[in-house]
Amino acid sequence: MKKNIRLVLGASAAALIAMSLGAAPASAHVPKSVRGNVVLTAHLTELNGSGASGTAVAVVRGETIRAIGIRARGLTPDAPHAQHIHYGEQALNECPTLALDSNGDGRLNTVEGVPAYGPVVVSLNTSGDTTPASFLDVSRFPVSKNGSYNYLRTNIRFTDVAGTGYPGAEGIGTAAQIAEAIRDGEGVVVIHGNDYDGNGTYNLSVPEGASELDPTLPAEATDPVACGVLH
């Protein structure tokens, strides 16, 4: 055990993520801090009856996510899945329940979940800009292979989100305040994308219709499917 702890303490942020998301259930035993970094873990559980689940581990220092990794499964196969860190000063900073289904259609869309998890503060995409401005650029998010994916990205800077136009984004605070809230365990990881009709693609012809965020996108592409709080 002591040898394993020494190995973790000597690992880089990315290596720590890889270790904690390995085959063994090591994420529950990751130290809370490693050389000044804060290590946060979220256990992702399903939303909207998706059957999705997973684990997210983030190594945060100051205003930077030094590394964040996500292992997700039970997703719509071979489809892109938008994923974000959410946080809001006025939010509960937790995962939503169907009690927030304001229109009574039996599912949670992204906006209905905002009172629970807050607006987007980081877009966890595979390349390029990671600010909330990229939260709907589905082409830059990971694609599940046979319903699963492993994601890793390093050196993501927190930014101010006021003025992004995302619901609830006004008045959240500075990048430093957001980073502090995430380090304190108030960040929520949310994965999106649910093929409700099981036809293998996101489409507008299902009863869910268009996304409330963008009428050119199907609700299937933006509805939340898994959620977990970074503790």
Side-chain angles (χ1 to χ4, degrees):
M1 177 64 75
K2 289 183 179 179
K3 181 179 180 181
N4 290 338
I5 291 174
R6 285 197 297 270
L7 287 172
V8 171
L9 291 173
S12 68
L16 176 60
I17 295 294
M19 290 170 65
S20 62
L21 291 177
S27 58
H29 306 290
V30 174
K32 292 182 106 177
S33 62
V34 179
R35 290 188 176 179
N37 301 313
V38 177
V39 182
L40 304 159
T41 302
H43 299 288
L44 309 177
T45 57
E46 70 173 345
L47 294 175
N48 286 322
S50 66
S53 62
T55 302
V57 179
V59 180
V60 181
R61 182 166 189 167
E63 296 177 36
T64 301
I65 302 173
R66 295 193 62 195
I68 183 166
I70 297 174
R71 171 169 286 185
R73 55 192 175 274
L75 299 163
T76 297
D78 307 312
H81 290 274
Q83 54 181 14
H84 315 92
I85 297 177
H86 294 246
Y87 161 73
E89 286 186 336
Q90 304 303 315
L92 297 173
N93 299 307
E94 63 186 29
C95 293
T97 69
L98 270 177
L100 294 175
D101 176 22
S102 58
N103 63 4
D105 63 357
R107 68 182 178 93
L108 286 171
N109 63 38
T110 299
V111 170
E112 287 173 331
V114 168
Y117 45 60
V120 170
V121 292
V122 177
S123 296
L124 298 174
N125 45 32
T126 56
S127 63
D129 172 67
T130 58
T131 71
S134 293
F135 81 104
L136 277 183
D137 190 349
V138 180
S139 65
R140 290 193 290 118
F141 287 101
V143 175
S144 63
K145 183 177 181 181
N146 298 321
S148 301
Y149 63 75
N150 293 332
Y151 169 85
L152 177 65
R153 189 153 183 187
T154 59
N155 297 319
I156 298 174
R157 292 280 297 176
F158 290 103
T159 58
D160 297 341
V161 300
T164 61
Y166 187 79
E170 295 303 323
I172 284 183
T174 65
Q177 290 169 326
I178 294 169
E180 182 180 9
I182 302 305
R183 294 194 306 268
D184 287 343
E186 296 185 278
V188 185
V189 174
V190 182
I191 299 176
H192 305 258
N194 197 346
D195 179 19
Y196 287 109
D197 62 354
N199 73 341
T201 187
Y202 302 141
N203 59 88
L204 288 162
S205 60
V206 294
E208 291 75 24
S211 170
E212 79 284 4
L213 300 171
D214 182 342
T216 68
L217 290 175
E220 288 191 322
T222 61
D223 278 5
V225 295
C227 176
V229 180
L230 285 164
H231 292 298

